[in-house]
Amino acid sequence: MKFGHKFSEIIEATHPSVSDQFLCYKTLKKCLKNIPEEVAGNTSAEAVKPGVRRQLTEEERAFVKTLNQELNKFNKFFINSEEDFVMKESRLGDDFKQVMADAASTSAGGGGPGLFSADRHRKLCHAFADFHGELVLMEHWVSLNYTALVKILKKHDKRSSLSLRSPFLVSVLQQPFYSTEVLSQLIGKV
């Protein structure tokens, strides 16, 4: 099965709140189809020699603009999600400390309104498990979008004499959505 079809299936199976945050692969493919294909062995005066810069065509500009918009969309979504995850982990940690304090108080024979509850403990365990799942899904989101970027850039470079893949991917490696250190730390912690 082709990547584009599999990618579409994954997006369709994703929760609607996240599905519009994936790379618009179809849109970028349409932009690519507007870029005239380079003929192999082109020896015309327009052929670009290595190290020589040339002007982008209107179609290439549209592709690069769409690609940059997608990257901005990724970064905005990832940064907001990462902030939410950090706050959620803090709340869950506080809840855990409270449940453990209640358990210690109950086992020591203390009384009070915050007595340990097995039901509350079970709900907290489920909340941690759900949170862990959300974190892993975000890691998958990063991987899928990075793979989609690599695929679409490879298609571009095959179609055009302008090689975008290497410089664009070097830039992507510096983007917030690709920096998953905080996400990995949270997964390890939870």
Side-chain angles (χ1 to χ4, degrees):
M1 178 179 278
K2 296 268 185 181
F3 175 79
H5 296 295
K6 188 67 176 168
F7 191 60
S8 294
E9 285 178 6
I10 291 169
I11 293 170
E12 288 172 17
T14 304
H15 191 273
S17 65
V18 180
S19 62
D20 61 338
Q21 300 303 320
F22 282 94
L23 181 85
C24 291
Y25 195 77
K26 269 187 179 178
T27 303
L28 286 164
K29 276 186 74 172
K30 286 179 185 176
C31 287
L32 276 180
K33 288 184 180 181
N34 293 331
I35 297 173
E37 274 191 75
E38 293 296 315
V39 179
N42 187 354
T43 57
S44 71
E46 292 183 35
V48 180
K49 294 176 174 63
V52 176
R53 297 184 80 170
R54 69 167 175 85
Q55 291 293 323
L56 296 177
T57 65
E58 192 62 39
E59 296 86 0
E60 288 169 334
R61 269 193 295 263
F63 178 80
V64 170
K65 181 181 177 187
T66 305
L67 208 51
N68 284 325
Q69 288 170 344
E70 291 298 300
L71 197 56
N72 289 334
K73 176 178 79 173
F74 293 167
N75 287 328
K76 184 178 177 183
F77 175 72
F78 183 79
I79 289 169
N80 290 337
S81 296
E82 193 173 58
E83 288 173 1
D84 292 344
F85 289 146
V86 169
M87 290 187 291
K88 190 172 187 175
E89 188 272 333
S90 178
R91 283 192 309 272
L92 287 171
D94 291 345
D95 290 349
F96 179 74
K97 287 175 189 169
Q98 184 62 49
V99 166
M100 296 313 291
D102 291 347
S105 174
T106 301
S107 67
L115 291 175
F116 177 76
S117 161
D119 186 49
R120 190 168 153 214
H121 183 262
R122 191 177 318 104
K123 286 180 181 176
L124 186 58
C125 287
H126 284 290
F128 268 108
D130 290 345
F131 181 54
H132 184 269
E134 291 174 33
L135 293 171
V136 170
L137 285 173
M138 179 56 78
E139 255 191 342
H140 289 257
W141 176 86
V142 169
S143 297
L144 282 168
N145 279 307
Y146 180 76
T147 302
L149 276 170
V150 169
K151 296 280 189 181
I152 203 70
L153 287 166
K154 182 178 178 184
K155 285 183 181 294
H156 173 275
D157 288 1
K158 281 174 81 175
R159 186 166 185 99
S160 171
S161 65
L162 176 67
S163 179
L164 286 180
R165 186 171 33 174
S166 292
F168 201 85
L169 291 179
V170 166
S171 167
V172 165
L173 296 177
Q174 307 305 315
Q175 299 296 318
F177 98 91
Y178 191 76
S179 303
T180 59
E181 288 85 20
V182 172
L183 196 58
S184 298
Q185 287 173 354
L186 288 173
I187 289 171
K189 223 174 167 182
V190 175

